[in-house]
Amino acid sequence: MNDGLVLPPKVALVLGGGGLKGFAHIGVLRAFEERGIRPTVVAGTSIGSLIAAAYVGGMPIAEMERRALLLQKSDLFRIDHISMVTKRMLAPSLYLAKPLQKLVRDIVPEGTFHDLPRPLLVNSVDLESAAQVVWGLPGLQDVKVWEAVYASCALPGFFPPGVLGGRTCADGGISDNVPALAASHGMDAVIAVDVGSTNIARARRIRDKGFAAIYMRSAQIMMKKLQWLQLDTWRGPPLLLVRPAVWQFNMFSFAHVRRMIELGYEAAQDALDRAGASMMLGGVWPRRMVEVRVDRAACTGCTLCATLAPRMMTMDQEGKAEVLVSPVEWSRADGDFVHQCPTDAIHVESMEGAIRRETLEMPILEE
């Protein structure tokens, strides 16, 4: 049973996208299972939707882990040579759809959303109308679950979009990588698992790694900003934010699967232990007291921090950044302006002990 935080009756669990870093979701589910946490609604984007569908369909956590550890690059990524030669710039994607479709069909339950034992929400984007489409919501349940999951996993340019319900849909991370708000209606609380969209590692020599790497880096930055905006203005029910420390891993690396699963487990246990009963007051949790300071010698007076966080930062008479409030209570969704400083002049220290490197500093992306 859950020995720490006591959750209310109606809880939505939201699993975010992040390529293979999403295997951390398996560890999160293992931690929840051990504590007897059974969400009312499960939602997901991209790989989060794949694991969410398997979970709702009744696949055991151990079986998810076994399949993840056996997965190889050739099982998923096969270049569509024919289309690239015959269609050139009109080729729909770099990789073939069939390997990903097979993977999805092997894992996702048969039937439509009506056939599932509990509600599942699969986040996607309609590329033609530029609208977010959350399959599983009322009026969007008469499609096959596997087709919705495939569309949610179909990263534009990498895999062909899915066509279902008369819509041409692709990866939901384009607009909402962790669809917490979409899943929050009628819920008493939301648990959102973010595997990288609100914290990304520093990339090295990105200009030398080709167009695909540059495109993916750009997409990650876009997702990061969109996610921070949602969390910064969160007005939904109490939200528990779980952030496994997997952002230093490459999105398409198969070399660290076991470690990513364990990091998901550790992050879920830590978040549940730290949240406490005060989470039910609302907002984003868990929180901690931090001290914020400015290295005046490093500060160039660019004013960006004061512009982005006017309630936290200002400029003094000498044109240097100055902290208005410190110490301050922060959740894991706070402090994005710290990373935006071009000279790394803003420093944050936890008053509860050292802040882990992956929390507020920017680790280096694994090659």
Side-chain angles (χ1 to χ4, degrees), residues 5-8 11 188-190 238-240 275-283 285:
L5 173 66
V6 178
L7 292 169
V11 177
D188 300 314
V190 176
L239 185 147
L240 181 66
S278 56
M279 173 185 164
M280 292 304 105
L281 299 175
W285 296 84

Side-chain angles (χ1 to χ4, degrees), residues 19-52:
L20 299 183
K21 294 187 291 184
F23 285 138
H25 292 315
I26 298 173
V28 171
L29 293 175
R30 174 152 52 92
F32 288 174
E33 188 175 75
E34 288 179 1
R35 297 202 182 203
I37 296 174
R38 185 174 173 80
T40 308
V41 174
V42 186
T45 294
S46 195
I47 190 171
S49 73
L50 178 65
I51 294 175

Side-chain angles (χ1 to χ4, degrees), residues 312-331:
M312 186 74 199
M313 306 295 294
T314 188
M315 306 305 292
D316 65 16
Q317 294 180 346
E318 297 178 10
K320 298 285 188 176
E322 182 179 25
V323 181
L324 288 172
V325 182
S326 185
V328 63
E329 186 181 56
W330 271 2
S331 77

Side-chain angles (χ1 to χ4, degrees), residues 252-272:
F252 300 124
S253 172
F254 291 80
H256 307 283
V257 173
R258 189 180 299 278
R259 180 58 181 151
M260 288 189 285
I261 294 173
E262 289 305 313
L263 286 169
Y265 177 83
E266 293 169 9
Q269 296 283 18
D270 178 69
L272 291 167

